[in-house]
Amino acid sequence: MNKLETKSCEEIMTTVYKSIEFVVDSLISQGLYILAGAPKVGKSWLSLDICLSIAKGEKVLDHETKCGTALYLCLEDSFQRIQKRLYELTDEPNENLYFAIMADTIGSGLENQIEKFKSEHSDLKIVVIDTLQMIRESTENSYGSDYKELSVLKVLADKLKIVIVLVHHTRKCSDNDPFNMISGSTGLSSCVDGSMVLVETKRGSRNAKLHCVGRDIENTEINLQFDSELKKWRVTDEPTAPKSKDNILFSVVYLFIKERIHFEGTATELVEQLKSVTDEEFFANRVTRDLVQNGYEMSKYGIDFKHKRTHSGRVICIDYHAERDGSDGKNGTQGNVEHLWASNPIIVKLTKMWDWHIAQTKLNSENNQLIYFVADRLSNVKG
């Protein structure tokens, strides 16, 4: 009998892990997903748009994407039909987008085919399989059978750190909970990391709602309309999402520690000292969590974070290393911070007055605007 590999609560809570990568910002992260909808509702158009947008690094459904290789397994189509659809969406071929019209089934070679493709395209971000039924071996429809079959692809997605989207059908009967409409047992929804259900408000209206739920995303409903000219689903209103302070704290700490170089103290002491940078309110009981969860990203900007226990209690240690700051152009292609954000008048004013050093007593309200601006930019350049 193998011994259980365990980690203590303290070890888990104080370890800095690499953050989960979103291929479509706040909508699709690494893992296994289902995209379900009624036959001919427009799932394939949406799938192709997602793949093409990721291949180009462009927005899809008004969400930013992570640029990389996309593989679309169109198992119910021909290359001629794929060509026709591509010309409806673009007139420019993209070298990051690949297609296949035949593939092995789950447990009979499909996993090896995807792994082989990944080995040849290291920047593979997403594999869309259209449809799930075409790659299934089992004819059973039980919870155990559905869960076991999809768990193979779940393990594969986690191993390769990619997204796998399974295009699937919904039942004919409607339900108040759209996720109950996914064809098959609840084993399918239980196994995947996220589910998206495309439901037309009225059959043939070309107005629909995309319902999204997942382990790493907020429950979201996006109202869509299909543009028959562009052959794309368009967002008709902005999806609502709660505002997060993670990037704001990240920005405040960056500006604070770049001036301070080293800090060691309690979370309460850190919150108090951050007031020299902004009047944005932070809470001591949340600061450690946010620093741990942003630790991997902060390291790219030359910031090291540790949380340790001393005889007097727990303390936070933050250090800044200018030579490792990826925002200064030395460690990547993100460019100089001043140049990257030079279009913002507040930053121009601050850099002229203080050579990028943040004043301790002046322009507090402008500093707040700077914090939000930097937070927005950091969220766009992370990764």
Side-chain angles (χ1 to χ4, degrees):
M1 183 176 178
N2 294 327
K3 182 181 178 182
L4 284 175
E5 292 185 14
T6 64
K7 289 188 176 183
S8 69
C9 177
E10 179 173 358
E11 182 182 1
I12 293 173
M13 291 184 68
T14 57
T15 299
V16 173
Y17 296 102
K18 182 177 180 180
S19 57
I20 295 169
E21 181 179 274
F22 278 86
V23 177
V24 179
D25 188 39
S26 74
L27 204 61
I28 304 176
S29 60
Q30 291 175 347
L32 181 65
Y33 284 75
I34 280 181
L35 169 59
K40 308 299 184 290
V41 74
K43 301 184 298 295
S44 294
W45 282 114
L46 178 57
S47 298
L48 180 56
D49 190 23
I50 290 172
C51 286
L52 185 59
S53 298
I54 290 170
K56 290 181 174 182
E58 296 178 349
K59 283 187 177 182
V60 63
L61 302 180
D62 290 349
H63 288 69
E64 299 287 345
T65 63
K66 187 80 171 179
C67 185
T69 297
L71 173 62
Y72 191 176
L73 305 184
C74 306
L75 306 181
E76 295 181 337
D77 285 318
S78 64
F79 286 122
Q80 290 93 329
R81 186 175 293 149
I82 295 170
Q83 181 192 68
K84 182 179 179 181
R85 288 186 173 179
L86 281 169
Y87 272 113
E88 294 279 7
L89 292 175
T90 182
D91 59 356
E92 193 69 34
N94 188 286
E95 61 183 13
N96 290 334
L97 181 54
Y98 292 81
F99 298 88
I101 58 174
M102 295 182 67
D104 292 333
T105 54
I106 299 172
S108 297
L110 177 64
E111 308 89 273
N112 292 333
Q113 289 176 328
I114 294 175
E115 282 202 67
K116 181 70 163 58
F117 186 86
K118 167 70 173 177
S119 69
E120 296 167 351
H121 303 85
S122 58
D123 66 338
L124 178 64
K125 300 297 181 185
I126 187 170
V127 177
V128 173
I129 302 175
D130 191 354
T131 63
L132 168 60
Q133 196 59 38
M134 296 293 290
I135 57 160
R136 300 194 73 174
E137 275 281 310
S138 175
T139 56
E140 289 186 47
N141 204 25
S142 66
Y143 180 98
S145 176
D146 286 346
Y147 194 100
K148 182 178 180 180
E149 195 166 33
L150 261 61
S151 65
V152 175
L153 296 180
K154 159 69 176 162
V155 170
L156 180 65
D158 292 343
K159 175 184 176 182
L160 300 182
K161 293 181 171 57
I162 62 172
V163 174
I164 297 178
V165 177
L166 305 172
V167 180
H168 194 41
H169 295 301
T170 51
R171 310 176 198 272
K172 290 183 179 179
C173 56
S174 61
D175 194 292
N176 291 332
D177 184 347
F179 301 104
N180 287 338
M181 295 168 60
I182 297 174
S183 182
S185 76
T186 54
L188 299 179
S189 299
S190 299
C191 182
V192 298
D193 295 293
S195 299
M196 297 174 284
V197 181
L198 184 64
V199 182
E200 268 190 308
T201 53
K202 183 180 179 182
R203 187 64 172 165
S205 68
R206 311 314 278 161
N207 292 309
K209 185 169 286 188
L210 184 66
H211 304 264
C212 308
V213 68
R215 294 189 175 105
D216 302 308
I217 64 174
E218 296 288 339
N219 288 9
T220 304
E221 294 181 359
I222 307 175
N223 291 311
L224 303 174
Q225 184 176 58
F226 189 76
D227 190 321
S228 298
E229 291 293 322
L230 298 176
K231 303 299 182 185
K232 287 185 177 183
W233 286 102
R234 295 290 192 183
V235 177
T236 57
D237 61 5
E238 291 295 326
T240 57
K243 178 183 173 183
S244 171
K245 284 192 174 184
D246 287 356
N247 282 335
I248 297 174
L249 176 66
F250 182 2
S251 306
V252 173
V253 170
Y254 177 80
L255 298 174
F256 166 74
I257 203 62
K258 191 166 184 177
E259 173 76 14
R260 178 73 176 267
I261 306 300
H262 173 77
F263 169 83
E264 182 170 330
T266 65
T268 300
E269 290 168 342
L270 176 61
V271 167
E272 190 62 31
Q273 294 199 31
L274 290 180
K275 291 178 180 178
S276 65
V277 177
T278 179
D279 57 9
E280 181 72 39
E281 186 177 18
F282 297 105
F283 299 96
N285 64 330
R286 296 296 185 188
V287 163
T288 302
R289 179 203 64 181
D290 293 342
L291 288 173
V292 169
Q293 293 179 351
N294 284 279
Y296 185 84
E297 259 59 56
M298 291 195 300
S299 66
K300 299 176 185 178
Y301 294 83
I303 301 173
D304 287 339
F305 161 75
K306 287 192 305 182
H307 186 231
K308 66 180 184 180
R309 180 187 293 173
T310 66
H311 66 278
S312 58
R314 296 182 182 277
V315 296
I316 290 171
C317 301
I318 308 175
D319 293 281
Y320 176 70
H321 305 274
E323 71 280 2
R324 286 180 25 229
D325 189 345
S327 66
D328 64 5
K330 297 175 184 177
N331 300 333
T333 59
Q334 294 173 359
N336 186 273
V337 172
E338 290 91 334
H339 175 72
L340 181 65
W341 301 329
S343 60
N344 183 267
I346 298 170
I347 292 179
V348 172
K349 187 173 185 178
L350 289 172
T351 53
K352 283 181 179 178
M353 290 179 65
W354 306 306
D355 190 27
W356 191 242
H357 291 164
I358 304 302
Q360 300 299 305
T361 57
K362 296 182 180 180
L363 295 175
N364 204 32
S365 63
E366 288 192 357
N367 235 10
N368 254 6
Q369 296 177 56
L370 170 64
I371 296 305
Y372 280 95
F373 186 82
V374 174
D376 178 65
R377 289 306 172 100
L378 287 175
S379 70
N380 288 332
V381 301
K382 281 197 301 181

